[in-house]
Structure formats: C-alpha cells, structure tokens
Amino acid sequence: MVRKKVKLAYIENDSCRRVTYRKRVKNLVKKTRELSVLCGVDACAIIYGQDEQAPVVWPSSEEEAKRIISDYNSKSELDPSQRGFNQYTFLNDSVIKAKERLLKLQRKNREKQIANMIGFG
Amino acid sequence: MVRKKVKLAYIENDSCRRVTYRKRVKNLVKKTRELSVLCGVDACAIIYGQDEQAPVVWPSSEEEAKRIISDYNSKSELDPSQRGFNQYTFLNDSVIKAKERLLKLQRKNREKQIANMIGFG
DNA sequence: CGGCCTATGTATAACAG
DNA sequence: TCTGTTATACATAGGCC
C-alpha cells in the first residue's frame, strides 16, 4: 500500500508475492505479539505458507506456550467447574492442544529463523 | 505508536487498554485477511479478549471455513497417503477441527459485529 | 463510554544492486 | 532471488466531544 494503491487480490507474480508474503508475515506476527503484550490477552497467529514445511505460528517459543498452558491448568485447579463443556474452556482446550503439539514439532533452528525474521525483542 | 513512542508493555489504564485493544484487533484481523488474499495462503488469527465470551477469530465466515474444509477433504481423496501422520496434515487437521467447532459456536450477530468492526469488504 | 479527528510513527510497494 | 532503500499509504495514541 504505497507507491500505488494495491487492490486486495491475489498477487499473480510469483516473485512479488513471495516478497510481500515474507514482509507481511513478519509484521503480522509482530502485531500479534504487540497486541498480546499491550493488552494482556492471549492471541495466536497461524500462517500456512505455500512451500514451507511447517506453518508460521505465534506464540512459538517454549516459554510462552508453557506460560499459557500453565495458566490454563492453574485456573482449572482453582475452579473445577471451569472444566465443564462451555464455550470458553472448549475453545481454549483446542488451542492449547494445538500449541502443545506444535511445541513438539518445532525445531530449534526453525524457531531461530522466525525469531530473526520478526526481529524478536 | 504515534504522538508518543509507546513502549511495548502492558497498558495499566483500563480505559486506554480497551480502546487500544479494539483498534488493534480490528487491524490485526484486517491484516490477516489481506495476507491470506494477497498471497493465497491460509491464515488464522485467534484473540482471547478479556471480557468477551467468545474469542475473536478469523476466518469466521461460514463460506471461508467451508472452503478450507472442502479443500482439505478433496486433497485427502486424491491422495489417501496424505492422511498419514505427518506434520502437514497433522497440523491442518487440528486447525480444521477447531474451525469446525468455532463455526457451530458462532452466532450471527457476533459475526455481524466483527464484520462491522473490521469494516469488512 | 463510543466516535471522530489528526499528528506522527509504521508498514510496505516499488525500485536498486 | 534476495537484501537494502525510499516514498507513500496506513495505523494509531492522544484529544475532543
């Protein structure tokens, strides 16, 4: 959205599309992190790239995922009724399971790559 | 990030935090959609607001979720080996299940609210 | 609180090497 | 193709109703 007002449509040119993809993923992840920190909410971003083996996921660090899982578990202990089948725990559960699985799948070098990509810190 | 370079830290003031939350969620969802359309990739954003019943989720429309599920199913039919336990289908499966569940949970008025919030279209 | 405004910081399309 | 630069559009903090 700059030297020309780009219309919201699939970018046909492969080269342009990939450049745009990398730039935008980087900032999408950055924004997700900012929202989470600034507002103290849990947020999650998942992007399935075209050729990439694993999707880009945030939160991706072990620390972050552990914190979220830990929060969830401690809440459940405090109030067992929260384990019931309601919308909130239901959805949280799905996301947490996905996160747990992702944790196992992520490779150290992949994490470093993404961290570097978004200019982590 | 404007009339003052806001530091990346939890916003203590309740009122400011909620205003920032609404503004940023709106744009995060918009950006997620843009990335998805421009680059032809599947992307997903989930934000657990503080007081909201349901998380803000994108994609949230029935059409979009159906398209993704349909894509997945047709791929599986074409190549049953893809159903095997590998990273790609594994992760897709998790996300799709989450989306299917979200579909059932979403209320029409909630959708309208979000659509309006992000200035859909 | 919920919108709207606007000055300013950011994101990014196009370009250059 | 990827990385760096730059000009311009976009996002948004702080005000004001």
Side-chain angles (χ1 to χ4, degrees), chain A residues 1-2 24 27 30:
Chain A
M1 288 124 176
V2 55
R24 280 174 175 266
N27 280 298
K30 182 182 166 191

Side-chain angles (χ1 to χ4, degrees), chain B residues 12-28:
Chain B
E12 301 287 349
N13 185 291
D14 282 16
S15 171
C16 291
R17 193 176 58 254
R18 262 176 299 182
V19 171
T20 292
Y21 174 78
R22 257 184 289 117
K23 287 181 177 177
R24 280 173 174 266
V25 164
K26 172 180 173 172
N27 280 298
L28 189 61

Side-chain angles (χ1 to χ4, degrees), chain B residues 1-5 15 18 22-23 31 38:
Chain B
M1 287 123 175
V2 53
R3 307 202 180 168
K4 198 180 174 185
K5 225 179 202 172
S15 171
R18 262 176 299 182
R22 257 184 289 117
K23 287 181 177 177
K31 289 288 183 185
L38 289 171

